[in-house]
Amino acid sequence: MATLRDVAIAAGVSPATASRALSAPDSVSTARRHRVIEAAERLGYQPNRSAQALASGQSGHVGLVLPDLANPSFAAIAKGVQAQARGSRHSVLVADTDEDPRAELAIVRDLQANVDGLVLCSPRMPEEQIRECAAAGPLVLVNREVDGLPSVTFDSASGVTQALQHLRALGHRHIAYIGGPTSSWSDAHRRRALGSVDGIEVTDVGSHRPIHQGGVAAADLALETGATAFLCYNDLIALGVMFRLRARGVRVPDDVSVVGFDDIGAASYVSPLLTTVAIPLTRAGHEATTMLERLRLDGWDGHAVRLPVELLVRESTRPVPTPA
Amino acid sequence: MATLRDVAIAAGVSPATASRALSAPDSVSTARRHRVIEAAERLGYQPNRSAQALASGQSGHVGLVLPDLANPSFAAIAKGVQAQARGSRHSVLVADTDEDPRAELAIVRDLQANVDGLVLCSPRMPEEQIRECAAAGPLVLVNREVDGLPSVTFDSASGVTQALQHLRALGHRHIAYIGGPTSSWSDAHRRRALGSVDGIEVTDVGSHRPIHQGGVAAADLALETGATAFLCYNDLIALGVMFRLRARGVRVPDDVSVVGFDDIGAASYVSPLLTTVAIPLTRAGHEATTMLERLRLDGWDGHAVRLPVELLVRESTRPVPTPA
DNA sequence: GAAACAGATGAATGCGCTTTCAACGCGATG
DNA sequence: CATCGCGTTGAAAGCGCATTCATCTGTTTC
């Protein structure tokens, strides 16, 4: 493997000049720069990132911590981070915490010691711990807000309001909210908006695991409330709910309407197509990474980014059935 | 940030001993080892990976290259790689090529220069280029086989056979195969098994994009063949097919049966539940990473891993309708 | 024409760690 | 009792690069 020294010798310059020619082209005369670049290509030179990192104090890596790579929502965020990081010549070190909050802190610490910045997607880590991490290095939160820390979140309160208004316009007056994990920031955030629309009563059906199975379990509870429409913490739950409703012979949307959150791919594969609040996850990955870079260069400007969400009305909601 | 030197001083030993106490505990006396470990914890010491990498020649990173992080199949592989890598104290550097074959080579090269090994998931990179990459460093292929290179693949030929036999047992005699990208290794591999079951005629409906939309487009073509069952390259396509069939008033499985490949989550969210060939993607990630480690230590034993697949019979297949 | 200067260059230093290598102390061996 | 050998230790070298600093060249200014 060719080193910078080899390139320098081949180009007939000193290692210092070779280094500059490749990383600060303007500070080298045109002729030498070309010689160096040509030599580098000829030798197939690939810079040793570890050496660069050690010498410059910049690892060239961005860390990404998330609960579950296989969850389509987090995967979408990862994709966004990845794309944006490559744009700024950074690689992404990804760590899946496997929904294990205990391992999380150790993972974050280890990662943080070896990256230029961290994108942290941890719905459940205690605020205090997050603050601790933020003190240890540049950090941007995704889908979670902590006072005084940079974050990219979604205006899901508005999403809840949009969904509620949509349902009210369809004549629904009693709605069941099928929540996600209590410890999750975004669930708390959404719950707060539950009372934002007049003329609608919302019954809270409690906390459920944010996966298909969680929805299956929640469906019966929601049905018991007598609500004519169900608002779900996320699409996976909504899909689980619809699955169970079908099994019980309850028709969607004829008998009850269902609204999800996230707009994962499957929402447009199922029948009926799921009405859901679309969340720009990939864009959040972009924004977070961009923010991280600014953070490192200029420090934080105190602004948190809150991305707009949009209700996508599809087939799983319709006017409340008129009593026979 | 505390360095190893700080720890050594705090423990009253030389840096060399401190280093050994932490990375080769057996070569240090018990008493000193404890002193070092205690000091390291007290100071919150985190090793600098770049320095370790530079000094030891081992980056501690595993590279993972895949076409699309947001694709649930690849995400599952990523999860497997990630979990296994953590087990062997490695971090994962992930690169999403965004289905862009041109960028791919550059990405792989850059990554390969800075990791201990690479898991490459590239259905379409030309064999010749793959060989080139393999020469540049430890490399394990996933879902793709190249002569003389270590790989983890799936026995999808058996999957095709299982599906075909299942369908024949149900009375189907004419089946349409809705293929994936021609350039994809696994599509070629599956196509080869299409003739493996006697008494069944298979019509090839051509290549389609391995996403929902691809299936939507393919459905009409498949219908035109008059086949009573459709075997699809993957679940996304199968879901797209079912979506389009429903729109055209064709009932699944009453009028036609549909079989997918992969068993992505959505396959068990939709109705009818999709009969599909389950592929152990996460396990493939595990295996590939394990293999990579052995590869680095002992060299390649010449064996490629081929993981078994399993037909999951659910609701989208049923006996061929008897003509009225 | 001399002095001041800006730009380009190379020698040398050090980032934090691992890993030789030589030195040391100890019990075992002859 | 001298010798060997093993287990433990520290000094020192060096991994590949960025970067500082002094040097040198060629240009501008008075």
Side-chain angles (χ1 to χ4, degrees):
Chain A
M1 182 104 289
T3 72
L4 187 61
R5 198 161 167 280
D6 301 328
V7 174
I9 293 174
V13 301
S14 77
T17 301
S19 170
R20 283 189 278 250
L22 296 173
S23 58
D26 290 338
S27 63
V28 166
S29 71
T30 317
R32 287 182 198 238
R33 186 187 340 145
H34 286 354
R35 289 238 303 282
V36 170
I37 290 174
E38 187 272 332
E41 281 188 355
R42 187 156 43 80
L43 299 180
Y45 169 70
Q46 291 281 10
N48 181 323
R49 298 277 192 122
S50 304
Q52 289 182 313
L54 188 56
S56 69
Q58 307 242 309
S59 69
H61 297 318
V62 169
L64 171 61
V65 175
L66 30 72
D68 180 12
L69 258 175
N71 179 319
S73 305
F74 296 127
I77 295 177
K79 191 170 173 80
V81 169
Q82 215 282 326
Q84 193 67 28
R86 188 197 309 302
S88 56
R89 322 203 109 294
H90 277 258
S91 306
V92 177
L93 270 176
V94 43
D96 177 321
T97 64
D98 214 18
E99 308 266 11
D100 178 356
R102 284 165 313 176
E104 204 165 38
L105 192 59
I107 293 176
V108 168
R109 265 206 242 284
D110 173 53
L111 211 56
Q112 211 171 10
N114 298 288
V115 297
D116 293 339
L118 232 205
V119 174
L120 178 58
C121 194
S122 173
R124 280 127 99 178
M125 183 184 278
E127 269 207 18
E128 172 202 359
Q129 279 181 24
I130 293 192
R131 285 221 159 73
E132 229 173 90
C133 297
L139 176 71
V140 173
L141 261 24
V142 171
N143 196 20
R144 165 140 193 190
E145 225 162 49
V146 169
D147 261 1
L149 297 186
S151 63
V152 176
T153 52
F154 307 102
D155 192 0
S156 5
S158 148
V160 169
T161 304
Q162 288 178 51
L164 256 25
Q165 283 173 339
H166 166 64
L167 290 171
R168 195 188 54 181
L170 294 177
H172 296 275
R173 292 296 175 264
H174 184 190
I175 290 173
Y177 176 68
I178 302 177
T182 7
S183 46
S184 129
W185 181 86
S186 58
D187 185 61
H189 186 225
R190 283 170 208 184
R191 275 208 163 84
R192 249 173 272 139
L194 250 26
S196 65
V197 175
D198 287 338
I200 266 194
E201 182 198 346
V202 178
T203 304
D204 189 333
V205 192
S207 282
H208 298 271
R209 295 171 61 202
I211 56 177
H212 190 256
Q213 189 51 43
V216 172
D220 299 319
L221 267 43
L223 222 37
E224 193 192 12
T225 65
T228 57
F230 304 163
L231 176 57
C232 307
Y233 172 73
N234 72 7
D235 286 348
L236 253 21
I237 288 185
L239 259 22
V241 166
M242 295 210 296
F243 181 85
R244 176 62 181 164
L245 292 182
R246 179 191 307 270
R248 286 194 48 183
V250 179
R251 293 163 307 166
V252 176
D254 311 67
D255 301 323
V256 300
S257 291
V258 174
V259 179
F261 241 97
D262 284 1
D263 191 31
I264 62 175
S268 22
Y269 304 160
V270 297
S271 174
L273 295 179
L274 184 63
T275 292
T276 189
V277 178
I279 293 191
L281 292 160
T282 302
R283 194 174 146 215
H286 284 165
E287 295 284 347
T289 310
T290 308
M291 213 160 158
L292 200 51
E293 202 172 356
R294 274 208 310 270
L295 192 61
R296 285 192 3 247
L297 302 178
D298 313 332
W300 189 34
D301 61 3
H303 275 293
V305 171
R306 176 162 295 184
L307 265 19
V309 303
E310 183 191 8
L311 178 72
L312 262 28
V313 176
R314 295 206 269 238
E315 300 173 351
S316 67
T317 46
R318 79 153 57 156
V320 65
T322 46
Chain B
M1 182 105 288
T3 73
L4 187 61
R5 199 159 167 280
D6 301 328
V7 173
I9 293 175
V13 302
S14 76
T17 303
S19 171
R20 282 187 280 249
L22 296 173
S23 58
D26 290 337
S27 63
V28 167
S29 71
T30 318
R32 288 184 199 241
R33 187 189 339 147
H34 287 351
R35 289 238 303 283
V36 170
I37 290 173
E38 187 273 330
E41 281 187 357
R42 188 156 42 79
L43 299 180
Y45 170 69
Q46 290 282 9
N48 181 323
R49 297 275 192 123
S50 304
Q52 289 184 312
L54 188 56
S56 70
Q58 307 241 312
S59 68
H61 297 317
V62 168
L64 170 62
V65 175
L66 31 73
D68 180 12
L69 258 175
N71 180 320
S73 305
F74 297 126
I77 295 176
K79 192 174 173 79
V81 168
Q82 215 282 325
Q84 193 68 29
R86 187 197 308 301
S88 56
R89 325 201 105 294
H90 276 258
S91 306
V92 177
L93 270 175
V94 40
D96 177 322
T97 64
D98 213 18
E99 309 266 12
D100 179 357
R102 284 165 312 178
E104 204 165 37
L105 192 60
I107 292 175
V108 168
R109 263 206 243 284
D110 172 53
L111 212 55
Q112 211 170 11
N114 297 287
V115 296
D116 293 339
L118 194 69
V119 174
L120 178 58
C121 195
S122 174
R124 278 126 103 179
M125 183 185 278
E127 269 206 20
E128 173 202 357
Q129 280 182 21
I130 292 191
R131 286 220 157 75
E132 230 172 88
C133 296
L139 176 70
V140 173
L141 262 23
V142 171
N143 197 20
R144 166 141 192 189
E145 224 162 50
V146 170
D147 261 1
L149 297 187
S151 62
V152 176
T153 52
F154 308 102
D155 192 0
S156 5
S158 148
V160 169
T161 304
Q162 288 177 51
L164 255 26
Q165 282 173 339
H166 166 65
L167 291 171
R168 194 188 53 183
L170 294 177
H172 295 275
R173 292 295 174 266
H174 184 190
I175 289 173
Y177 176 68
I178 302 176
T182 7
S183 47
S184 130
W185 180 86
S186 58
D187 186 61
H189 186 226
R190 283 170 207 183
R191 274 207 164 84
R192 249 173 271 138
L194 252 23
S196 64
V197 174
D198 287 339
I200 266 194
E201 182 197 347
V202 178
T203 305
D204 190 334
V205 191
S207 283
H208 299 272
R209 296 170 62 201
I211 56 177
H212 189 257
Q213 188 52 44
V216 172
D220 300 319
L221 267 46
L223 222 37
E224 191 191 15
T225 64
T228 58
F230 304 163
L231 177 57
C232 307
Y233 172 72
N234 71 8
D235 286 348
L236 253 20
I237 288 185
L239 260 20
V241 166
M242 295 211 295
F243 182 86
R244 175 62 181 164
L245 291 182
R246 179 193 306 271
R248 286 193 48 183
V250 180
R251 292 163 308 166
V252 177
D254 310 67
D255 300 324
V256 301
S257 291
V258 174
V259 179
F261 241 97
D262 284 0
D263 190 31
I264 61 176
S268 20
Y269 305 159
V270 297
S271 173
L273 293 178
L274 184 64
T275 292
T276 188
V277 178
I279 293 192
L281 292 160
T282 302
R283 190 170 151 218
H286 285 164
E287 295 284 347
T289 310
T290 307
M291 212 160 160
L292 201 51
E293 201 172 357
R294 275 208 310 271
L295 192 61
R296 286 192 0 248
L297 301 177
D298 315 331
W300 189 35
D301 62 4
H303 274 293
V305 170
R306 176 161 296 184
L307 264 20
V309 303
E310 183 192 7
L311 179 70
L312 261 28
V313 176
R314 296 206 270 239
E315 301 174 350
S316 66
T317 46
R318 79 152 57 155
V320 66
T322 47

